[in-house]
Amino acid sequence: MMNKFTLAAIAAVMAGAGSAQATNIEFWYGNTGPVETAIKAQCDAFNASQSEHHVNCVGQGSYEVSMQKAIAAYRAKNHPVLIQFFDAGTLDLMLSDAVEPVQDLMPDVKWDQYIAGARAYYETSGGKLFAQPYNSSTLLFYTNKTELEKAGITETPQTWEDVIEAARKLKAAGHACPFVTDGDTWRVLEQFSARHGLPIATKHNGYDGLDAEYVINTTFAAKHLANLLEWRKEGLVRLAADTKAGNYTAAFNAGECAMMEQSSGSYAAAAKAFDGKYELTVTMAPMYKGYERHNTFVGGASIYIMKGHDKAEIDAAKAFLDFLRKPEQQMFFTANTGYVPVTTDVLDAIAKSDEANSPKYATAKVGVESMNQPATPDTRGIRLGFYVQFREVFMEETQKAFAGQQTMQVALDNTKKRGDQLLRRFEQTYKGKKLP
């Protein structure tokens, strides 16, 4: 009769044999908080669903850090099979020669099921998807309905003119923070320009060539930024630094501020903070009167398959991507994070579910609707080199304007000049290289 030590030894050997059969791969991501929790849950669910593949999901702390580490690891030939890259790094990665277009590796997937707003940012000029959209967000408008109603505002503002009228009523009622923003490039420039049908740069935001130039200092976006500056002086708009919380999302979630525009990915935290205290509304971001609404850009990130791995590893990567694409997995991710579904069949699945009208799916319909508004060649996305650095330049110059150190027009003129210098450096770096 075998003793317990022999049985334990046999079990250990069998466990080792089973794990040896599974192909292990790594997936690097850059999220924290509720999104990281949801990512880890999906990784665990995939690993539990089958025994052929095993994915190790490794958090890197932020998109920027994840991108830097992946590039360094690729050069050292120690890179993961799957990497999550955020929207601003798209062109850099496409031209890096470090990734395989997912549509080439997975030709049988019905890629046309991806909503147009999610596809456009990550596809080639010929319409081929380079990466699989994953945690996709877009810009939405959040209001504290409870605080608005206290000030006599019964309708959710839909235009900027409505927002400012509501802000004046809130201020008159004693509200210290009617509308709050952090002035982030993604929110006040990129998403504003997209939904108003405005270019950020020539060559349709770089899609038609590396010789693009910034035009942000000459479009209506310049007027909007100047307005934000004046509205702040009037006490209608607060920046993050103006709030008690020192963080604009936290200030809204705490009830300190009554309105904000923020990523759909912030919905879960806002809903949790508001529970039992305030009523939350979420709608499409406001427009200026006289402008036709166009699609907002997809935000968040997508997943790329990196080169230099064997067939078994690629097969494991494809299996994991197939798993994430399932409607039930997208529904789980939306319900737990606020990120929007990325394929058309998911909205139908939500509508047919028992929780179709649940608050946890509040961002799904409005987010997809926002990204599926009429598109133009300037609302496809942003395909500009060194764009991560450009965002830093934009923030640096516009924050000087908000601090009263220069006018907003000077800030945008400086941003255009410095941004064009980045574009020329990028163009020189990839001289002779054809845009995908």
Side-chain angles (χ1 to χ4, degrees):
M1 184 175 177
M2 288 186 282
N3 62 33
K4 61 181 181 180
F5 298 107
T6 307
L7 287 170
I10 291 173
V13 171
M14 291 180 69
S19 62
Q21 291 172 1
T23 301
N24 284 278
I25 64 168
E26 283 195 351
F27 166 47
W28 289 7
Y29 63 88
N31 301 100
T32 58
V35 182
E36 180 173 35
T37 301
I39 291 173
K40 287 182 175 178
Q42 287 191 308
C43 296
D44 291 342
F46 171 74
N47 291 333
S49 70
Q50 45 73 56
S51 58
E52 187 178 356
H53 315 291
H54 187 277
V55 60
N56 299 307
C57 297
V58 185
Q60 302 296 342
S62 72
Y63 290 141
E64 291 84 356
V65 170
S66 183
M67 184 170 81
Q68 291 164 5
K69 283 188 175 181
I71 292 169
Y74 182 74
R75 289 170 179 162
K77 293 183 169 52
N78 189 31
H79 54 291
V81 182
L82 294 171
I83 176 72
Q84 177 207 43
F85 259 58
F86 65 146
D87 50 1
T90 301
L91 182 57
D92 303 67
L93 200 58
M94 281 182 165
L95 292 176
S96 70
D97 202 36
V99 298
E100 297 274 8
V102 291
Q103 198 159 337
D104 285 347
L105 293 174
M106 306 172 71
D108 296 331
V109 173
K110 295 179 180 177
W111 296 110
D112 57 356
Q113 282 194 342
Y114 277 83
I115 60 174
R119 277 187 59 97
Y121 214 112
Y122 304 117
E123 65 186 6
T124 67
S125 56
K128 180 195 298 181
L129 265 172
F130 236 77
Q132 179 166 304
Y134 179 44
N135 54 310
S136 294
S137 62
T138 199
L139 189 72
L140 298 176
F141 182 54
Y142 291 74
T143 67
N144 185 326
K145 187 177 181 181
T146 308
E147 290 299 308
L148 264 63
E149 287 181 344
K150 283 182 185 177
I153 304 156
T154 56
E155 299 279 331
T156 300
Q158 296 183 358
T159 67
W160 277 108
E161 290 82 358
D162 293 340
V163 169
I164 293 310
E165 182 182 349
R168 290 194 173 108
K169 288 181 179 178
L170 283 159
K171 184 186 176 187
H175 209 290
C177 181
F179 178 91
V180 68
T181 181
D182 60 350
D184 182 79
T185 320
W186 186 74
R187 281 173 275 281
V188 301
L189 175 66
E190 296 168 29
Q191 295 290 5
F192 178 87
S193 297
R195 71 181 185 273
H196 286 83
L198 307 170
I200 290 169
T202 60
K203 299 284 181 175
H204 300 311
N205 294 342
Y207 273 77
D208 293 347
L210 293 175
D211 55 338
E213 296 180 3
Y214 285 104
V215 295
I216 59 165
N217 57 331
T218 60
T219 72
F220 189 67
K223 174 61 177 173
H224 174 58
L225 284 154
N227 285 345
L228 288 176
L229 179 60
E230 293 305 312
W231 292 333
R232 181 172 177 242
K233 290 177 181 177
E234 195 179 335
L236 307 176
V237 169
R238 298 293 187 200
L239 294 180
D242 303 329
T243 66
K244 294 176 186 175
N247 175 294
Y248 93 108
T249 307
F252 176 81
N253 290 352
E256 180 185 346
C257 301
M259 300 180 286
M260 74 168 179
E261 51 179 357
Q262 174 57 300
S263 164
S264 55
S266 294
Y267 179 79
K272 183 178 180 181
F274 271 37
D275 189 32
K277 299 177 183 176
Y278 307 105
E279 186 175 350
L280 176 67
T281 64
V282 57
T283 58
M284 287 194 286
M287 297 286 299
Y288 277 93
K289 289 178 181 177
Y291 279 83
E292 178 188 353
R293 184 182 290 276
H294 294 285
N295 65 284
T296 46
F297 289 144
V298 64
S302 58
I303 302 176
Y304 293 81
I305 299 177
M306 300 195 78
K307 290 182 177 180
H309 295 283
D310 61 33
K311 183 180 183 301
E313 292 172 314
I314 297 299
D315 286 345
K318 292 194 290 187
F320 184 54
L321 292 178
D322 286 341
F323 180 80
L324 295 179
R325 197 167 48 250
K326 289 181 177 181
E328 58 267 30
Q329 285 302 316
Q330 292 191 54
M331 288 169 69
F332 165 83
F333 207 72
T334 292
N336 286 275
T337 66
Y339 280 100
V340 300
V342 288
T343 58
T344 54
D345 55 342
V346 179
L347 286 182
D348 292 336
I350 291 174
K352 292 174 183 176
S353 73
D354 295 336
E355 298 179 293
N357 297 315
S358 170
K360 68 184 182 182
Y361 293 129
T363 60
K365 185 177 180 181
V366 67
V368 170
E369 182 183 4
S370 183
M371 288 194 290
N372 274 348
Q373 293 294 306
T376 77
D378 290 322
T379 66
R380 188 176 179 183
I382 298 170
R383 196 56 54 83
L384 301 165
F386 294 143
Y387 197 72
V388 177
Q389 293 92 323
F390 170 80
R391 282 178 168 176
E392 294 172 356
V393 168
F394 176 88
M395 290 299 293
E396 180 184 323
E397 293 290 348
T398 54
Q399 289 299 312
K400 285 181 182 177
F402 282 122
Q405 297 171 11
Q406 60 189 11
T407 67
M408 187 59 75
Q409 187 60 52
V410 168
L412 295 176
D413 289 343
N414 290 344
T415 302
K416 180 236 177 349
K417 181 180 178 181
R418 295 173 64 187
D420 285 347
Q421 290 171 351
L422 287 170
L423 291 177
R424 299 294 72 80
R425 271 179 47 210
F426 191 87
E427 184 182 16
Q428 190 64 33
T429 301
Y430 291 99
K431 191 174 183 179
K433 192 114 174 181
K434 187 177 179 182
L435 274 173

